[in-house]
Amino acid sequence: ISAELTAVFEFDYRFNLGVAYRYNESFAGLVFFEVSPSVDLGYAYEIAGQDAQFNLNNTHELVLRIKFKKSEE
């Protein structure tokens, strides 16, 4: 079982900056940029913790975030 805590802060509706912590596994830094009202592109760098149960390497991650909105009736 794994638990994760993530905090993301939005700036001017176009830029997001955040951090994440996965219990006993890793830390991560996140950044997102709005490409369009429904699409964000992001980057994350994850650092494996010293007490990680698994021997993970640090990772670079590219993220495509698609925002779905409810249709207004």
Side-chain angles (χ1 to χ4, degrees), residues 9-44:
F9 301 94
E10 187 175 273
F11 301 94
D12 197 29
Y13 299 102
R14 299 192 54 97
F15 173 74
N16 292 271
L17 190 62
V19 294
Y21 171 70
R22 187 173 298 138
Y23 182 71
N24 277 343
E25 290 183 24
S26 63
F27 295 93
L30 314 147
V31 61
F32 287 95
F33 298 96
E34 184 180 87
V35 176
S36 73
S38 61
V39 177
D40 291 345
L41 288 177
Y43 170 79

